[in-house]
Each structure stands twice: as structure tokens, then as C-alpha cells.
Amino acid sequence: MNKRSFTAPYIIWIIGGTLIPLAMMFYYGLTDESGTWTLQNILAIFEPGNLRALWKSLLYSAACTVVCLLLSYPIALILRNVKRAKGVIVFIFLLPMWVNFLLRTMAWQVLLEKGGVINGILSWIGLPKARLINTPGAIIMGMVYDFLPFMLLPINNVLSKVPNSLTEAAYDLGASKAQVITKVLLPLSVPGIVSGITMVFVPALTTFVISNMLGGGKILLIGNIIEQEFTVGDNWNLGAGLSIVMMIFILVSMAFIAKFDKKGEGLA
Amino acid sequence: MKKHSVLKKVYMAVIILFLYAPILTLMVLSFNEGRTMGKWTGFSLHWYEDMFADEDIMDALKNTVIIALVSAVVSTVIGTLFCLALPRLNSKMRSVFLALNNIPLLNADIVTGLSLMLMFVAFGITLSMGTVILAHITFCIPYVVLSVRPKVRQLGMTHYEAALDLGATPWVAFFKVVLPELRSGIFSGFLMAFTMSVDDFIVTHFTRGAGINTLSTMIYGQVRIGIRPTVYALSTIVFVVVFILLIASNVISGKSATVKARRKAES
């Protein structure tokens, strides 16, 4: 055992499943339909429609990331001090994550739709119907719902590892509750926060499913534009070029995580 | 002080309500007599009967399980072999391979799916269930490596060498000494791969052949034409199965479910 040849299937898979496909993506993105090298598919991001979609994606995913952070940090702080049945409580927060992602998004569609559950309840108690679905708010809420655990987990991991002796020492030295949070816990949890931010931001930035299901196909994000170029529009070169632009944003956020989370603590 | 702890409890309760209300709504609606989502018209089990009689749903369920099983088994074998060989590589090679291992983990699903599709098409491979399985193996291997590698490092080479010194053949040493020690890591890698495969929509969406549906792609297809309540019944069953499996794996292996959830969040 432990023969070096054991790596062969893995290497084949990395080459065939990751490297060649990525090379194909770059080839399609940097050529036109006749196979000539060109930058027009990359520069197409500056067309008004595409630029608007990218801007919306950045805006919605940033909003989603901020909301996720604001919601999960207090939970992680509370969980830190839970003494009884902590495992069960953490389990309750993570369970929804295991239900199929499409079913979870579909559930919000059922709640928000014009003839949906929330409007049903509103009209039952005599209030006028509200327009909930196909709004930016619906999309951001769907993102928050789907990705919240990805923020909660790394922050909870890091915070639960901070020894109580540290906070006790801070209290002994006269720190207030707020000071313990801002001066002790917050700086120590930066790696968890940073990896939470990337884990929420990347899928939110690139989604086309949530915007399609909760935006009714009327609000186009960059993911929708790319998906349509491949399925309906049939301009694969353009779709690949826009994917490359999107990858640049992913790389930037990975560089960001590498800078703050050197030891990979948020993931451990 | 007292007021504070009430506030905390209320906050936790509100978040839990936010997390569970949509799922509970689907469960309640699956027992609703009528078709409309906004109104309760009476208790009935007929959506469950319809679900089991619905060929599209049963077909998608079968495909989902086949794809997940095959890709989990293959990726577990490949990933485990790789982890076993890792200590034999020099440190430079090792860090290159481990960096490559991160690409499918950190890349956006849409890029993974589209780039695989481009390759299949460029090489003249017809999209089918086979291409979906190949694609799933690709994104499952990194999760297996993440689960098995710590166990291999923990074990080291000493047990294996001791077995050889005591006269075991390499095969016997491997199957009797090394493999039992790695069992929990391999098992959680397999479960992880299986769940990631079942949960996937985006990669499947781009690499599937015409007419092949998994549960995810079937639901996505229904969204455009209107969701049928049979899907509510389906999601209730999915939730109950997931719940039972997680409880069971928690009971069997302590906190493995939280460990797995953590792994999932790493993606």
C-alpha cells in the first residue's frame, strides 16, 4: 500500500474533471464562433444590460452577506454560553441545511406567491394582498434563507473555541459586557467571519436558481445572463467570457479569505 | 440580567421560526385536500397516493439514488487511494495536489457545471446520465479527501510497518490493520459525497442528457409550469428521511452530523 501509483486515478480525475474543463472555459471565452482569438466576450460585461446584471448581483449578494452576518453573530454569541443540550440546539439550526436546496427555495415561493400562504393569511384576517414575490426583497430573503448556516457555522466554530479564561480575565480587569464582545471576542472571531463572508458571498453572487424562482425571471442577475447564453441564447462563447469575469470576482474573494484566515481556522 | 435572557430566547425562537416556517408550511400543505396553496380545504392523504403513482417523480427518485450511489462509491475509492499515497509524495507535490483539491470546493457550481459541459461537448461525448455521474464524481472527490486525510495523518505509517515486521503481507496489513482504522473517515466521506450528490442541482442541470431528471431538476422544471402538491408530499418525506438519518448518525457516531455539516459549509 501507500504506493505512489495510488494517486493515478485522482490525477486523471483532476486533469479530466477540473483542469481540462477550465481550459475549455477559457478557450471558449477568449475566442469567437469561428475560433479566432478575441476579447469581445470579456469586454461584453461592459454592455449596459450585462453591467446592470453584475451590479445587481454584487448589490444583492452584499446585502445578503451583511444580513447573514448580523443575524448569525448574536446566535453564535448566545450559543457560546449555552450549557445544557448545546449539541441539540446547534443541530436545530443546521437541520434545514440538509433539506434539498430546491425544495427550500420552492417553499418560499409557496409562501410569497400572489395566491400563496402569506397572502391567504392576510386576506383571511381582512388585510389587502401584498406584492411579495418577484421583488428584489424576495430574492435577497431567499438568499439569506439558503445561505445563513454557511455564515453561522464558521463563526460558531471559532467563537466556541475561545477559552472562557480569556473572557473571565477581561471581566476581572474591569471590562464591561460590551467591551468583552468588541475587544476580545470580535477580534478573535475574524477568521470565522471572513470565511463565512466568502462562503455566503460566492454562491449568492453566482446564483441563477433563486433569482429565477423568487424573481419570476424578471430580475436578471449575472448568473441568469450566463445560464441563458448557454441554454436559450446559444452563444456559448459569450457565456464563457462572462463566466471568466465572474471567476475573477471569486478569485478576489478567495484572496481575501487567504489573507485573513491564514491557518484555516474558520474551516477547521 | 433576567430581562436579557428572555430577549435571547425570543431572538433564538424568531430565527428558528424563520428557518422552519417554510418547511412546515410545505408539510401542512401536503395534507391539504385542495390544490390551492392559500387555503386549507380539509385533511387528505391523496397527494401521497398520487406521488407514489407519479412516474416522473418515481423516475427522478430512482435516478437521484443511482447517481448518488455510483458517484459516492467511485469518489470514495479514488479519494481514499489518493489519501493513502499522499505521505509517499514529496512536500511540494503534496501541496500542489491539495491546492488542486480546493478548486472544485471553492469554485462556483455554475462554473464547474458549465466547464464540464463544454468539455463533454468539445470531446463529442453525448450528455446522458453517465456524464452527470462523471461530473458528480468530480465534485465529490474533494469531500472524501477532506474526511479521509486527517485519519491517514493520525494513523501514520507505524501500524502498517509493525504489521509487516510481524510477518503480515502488505495486503493483509492493509486490510486487517490500516483499513479498520480509517473506517470512520471513509464512511463519513462516503456519506458526505452521497449528500452532496443528492443536493446538487446546478451541475446536474448543465451536464444531464435530454429527458433525464433528478429530484432537483424535476422540481426546477415544475416551477415554470406550476408546482403540483405531489411535490409537497415528496418534500415532507425527504425532510422526515433526512431527520431520521441525521438523528441515527448522531446516535451512532457522537457528533459526526455536526462534523459533516461543517464539511458541507466548507464548500
Side-chain angles (χ1 to χ4, degrees), chain A residues 1-7 9-11 13-22 24-25 28 70-75 78-79 81-82 87 89-104 106-111 113 115-117 120-121 141 144-145 148-150 153-154 157 177 199 202 206-209 212-213 222-224 226-227 230-231 236 239-240 243 246-247 250 254 267-268, chain B residues 1 4 8 11-12 15-16 18-23 25-26 29 37-38 74 78-79 81-82 84-90 93 97 100-104 106-111 114-119 121-123 134 137-138 141 145 157 160 170 174 178 192 195 198-199 201-202 205-206 215-216 219-220 223-224 227 231-232 234-235 238-239 242-243 246-247 250 257-258 260-262 264-267:
Chain A
M1 62 159 274
N2 290 358
K3 298 264 168 61
R4 291 177 73 164
S5 59
F6 280 8
T7 52
Y10 179 83
I11 294 170
W13 224 279
I14 284 283
I15 293 172
T18 304
L19 297 179
I20 296 178
L22 281 178
M24 293 305 305
M25 184 70 107
Y28 270 88
L70 292 179
L71 288 180
S72 11
Y73 206 85
I75 303 175
I78 296 171
L79 285 177
N81 292 322
V82 168
I89 298 175
V90 174
F91 178 77
I92 290 173
F93 278 100
L94 299 182
L95 180 63
M97 190 164 107
W98 294 87
V99 179
N100 188 297
F101 158 68
L102 254 88
L103 286 178
R104 279 182 291 153
M106 182 191 82
W108 276 104
Q109 200 180 13
V110 170
L111 281 173
E113 208 142 32
V117 173
I121 294 171
M141 219 229 30
V144 170
Y145 184 72
L148 186 66
F150 296 162
L153 260 175
N157 282 349
K177 220 167 177 180
M199 282 182 326
V202 172
T206 59
T207 188
F208 65 93
V209 179
N212 231 345
M213 290 174 81
I222 191 69
N224 298 87
I226 293 173
E227 197 247 358
F230 277 94
T231 51
W236 291 13
S243 304
M246 210 168 66
M247 268 192 264
I250 298 171
M254 272 154 126
L267 302 180
Chain B
M1 209 61 197
H4 248 88
K8 279 179 189 171
Y11 181 71
M12 300 285 263
I15 299 284
I16 290 174
F18 171 67
L19 289 173
Y20 284 86
I23 298 171
T25 309
L26 289 187
L29 284 179
M37 339 185 212
V74 176
I78 294 177
L81 283 177
F82 171 69
L84 287 171
L86 259 184
R88 285 287 170 95
L89 301 175
N90 63 42
M93 288 268 273
F97 281 146
L100 289 174
N101 195 51
N102 279 334
I103 297 179
L106 297 168
N107 210 344
D109 286 349
I110 183 171
V111 175
L114 283 172
S115 62
L116 279 159
M117 178 192 85
L118 285 176
M119 184 190 68
V121 172
F123 285 82
L134 290 175
I137 293 171
T138 303
I141 290 175
V145 172
M157 297 289 289
Y160 175 68
F174 176 67
V178 177
M192 199 58 226
T195 347
V198 170
D199 206 43
F201 164 71
I202 297 172
H205 179 61
F206 290 117
L215 286 180
S216 300
I219 296 165
Y220 193 68
V223 165
R224 289 172 205 182
I227 302 157
V231 176
Y232 306 155
L234 177 73
S235 53
V238 168
F239 186 78
V242 166
F243 187 71
L246 281 181
I247 296 277
N250 254 346
T258 24
K260 266 179 274 151
R262 222 171 269 163
K264 183 162 175 170
E266 280 173 45
S267 60

